Amino acid sequence: MEVRWLETFTAVAKEGSMAAAADSLGYARSTVTGHVQSLERHLGARLFDRGRTGQPLSTAGAALLDHAEAVLDRLYQARLAVTNVLQGSLPALPLGATDSLAEYRLPVFLRMLSRFLPDLKVEVSTAAARQLVEGIEKGTLPIALVNGLSDEPPPDGRGLVGRRRLWEENAVLVCSPVRAQDPRRILVTAQGCVYRQLVEEEFLDRLPQPDILQVGSLSGVKSSALSGLGVGLLPMVAAKPYLNAGQLVELPLRTARTVVTDVLWHQETCPSKVVEHLRRLRPTPGTDLG
């Protein structure tokens, strides 16, 4: 099994089509198709339902997705560990991220950086978005990955804060099919998370007698929803493979507010070669307003 097959498979699952995955990865459509077919032959299973619109994951594909992402993340960490040893005492660049982004967007972001800055070492720490923004504004944190709501004002920073929007996506209220008729138990992340904020501001007063259960993280919300424990708010990019496979269903409650992900940097403390690359990042790959 080749690593690039797994990378292509996860891209198709997240993007929703072979064509979109080809655009995000910079491959020809035929290359993406070839990678998926090679992985299917290797595993002896069809990973996508090509007879349905959007090529949703098959049951086998849904079962593979989390494992494929875990393998890719561990491989990235392994490469980073080797790089750190080879570079010896070179300082690592502090990089902040919110807890929710550390779960489902940070690995993609780090791979985007490593593709063009393979020698870059980073040291990731997590904190609430407000703390990360304050660190950037003061210059104590050179770079951060933060998420928030689209109608919130961007940080000021008096001209010292650079910003690049990477993703904008809908958040959807989901649950297992058996829980759809009884949506009273609401699964939420910890205080300070944008998805907790969105649940409290947009959905609680629209649900019958909500019973809040804090499960700590987006992974907790997803696994608890899949297990039938309640209803939870997930980014569409995280929910889509399970919606397509029929393991989750979307409740008919929506909000016009979207969740945006920005990379922020301090103009004076972030290395110039990193800033140069950050300014070139394109926001399209992974954007999901479906």
Side-chain angles (χ1 to χ4, degrees):
M1 182 186 301
E2 297 189 22
V3 173
R4 57 181 181 164
W5 298 350
L6 291 177
E7 290 177 334
T8 301
F9 163 72
T10 58
V12 175
K14 293 281 179 75
E15 302 291 347
S17 72
M18 301 279 187
D23 288 341
S24 69
L25 294 171
Y27 289 154
R29 169 70 183 275
S30 58
T31 301
V32 170
T33 303
H35 286 180
V36 171
Q37 290 175 343
S38 295
L39 183 59
E40 289 179 326
R41 284 194 298 270
H42 181 82
L43 295 173
R46 296 296 292 267
L47 300 176
F48 296 95
D49 186 349
R50 292 171 176 79
R52 293 171 56 193
T53 304
Q55 293 179 327
L57 286 170
S58 66
T59 304
L64 174 64
L65 182 58
D66 283 347
H67 296 287
E69 291 181 317
V71 168
L72 293 174
D73 292 345
R74 290 301 297 270
L75 283 173
Y76 172 81
Q77 294 296 331
R79 292 185 183 118
L80 184 61
V82 172
T83 300
N84 290 345
V85 170
L86 294 176
Q87 291 183 340
S89 61
L90 287 178
L93 178 68
L95 188 156
T98 62
D99 287 332
S100 58
L101 288 175
E103 286 189 53
Y104 81 102
R105 284 298 193 189
L106 181 63
V108 176
F109 177 71
L110 291 178
R111 288 198 290 269
M112 290 164 64
L113 283 182
S114 65
R115 181 174 296 182
F116 297 98
L117 300 168
D119 297 329
L120 179 68
K121 291 199 305 181
V122 297
E123 187 174 86
V124 178
S125 59
T126 60
R130 181 175 299 178
Q131 293 176 282
L132 296 174
V133 171
E134 289 176 355
I136 294 290
E137 290 176 339
K138 294 176 181 177
T140 56
L141 183 64
I143 181 174
L145 204 60
V146 300
N147 52 7
L149 296 174
S150 54
D151 53 2
E152 294 176 337
D156 180 9
R158 299 179 181 178
L160 292 177
V161 176
R163 179 171 68 101
R164 187 75 169 172
R165 179 140 299 168
L166 298 181
W167 294 286
E168 180 177 3
E169 58 204 344
N170 283 326
V172 290
L173 208 57
V174 298
C175 63
S176 67
V178 297
R179 174 61 75 164
Q181 301 304 316
D182 183 18
R184 287 175 295 177
R185 177 171 290 170
I186 311 303
L187 309 165
V188 296
T189 51
Q191 291 285 355
C193 173
V194 65
Y195 294 95
R196 173 72 172 262
Q197 177 187 350
L198 202 52
V199 167
E200 293 175 344
E201 294 180 1
E202 295 290 321
F203 295 106
L204 279 189
D205 61 354
R206 299 160 63 188
L207 291 165
Q209 300 178 322
D211 172 25
I212 296 177
L213 175 61
Q214 180 173 311
V215 292
S217 66
L218 285 180
S219 291
V221 170
K222 182 180 73 174
S223 60
S224 298
L226 286 167
S227 299
L229 294 180
V231 174
L233 191 70
L234 290 174
M236 176 61 86
V237 69
K240 180 181 283 187
Y242 304 96
L243 292 171
N244 289 342
Q247 295 176 295
L248 292 175
V249 295
E250 181 182 351
L251 269 66
L253 293 177
R254 282 249 177 168
T255 173
R257 302 168 81 186
T258 56
V259 176
V260 295
T261 300
D262 293 337
V263 58
L264 306 178
W265 64 88
H266 192 275
Q267 303 280 18
E268 296 181 350
T269 61
C270 189
S272 57
K273 66 175 183 178
V274 176
V275 172
E276 181 182 352
H277 174 62
L278 293 176
R279 293 186 185 278
R280 292 200 302 261
L281 292 179
R282 297 188 302 159
T284 5
T287 297
D288 199 329
L289 294 175

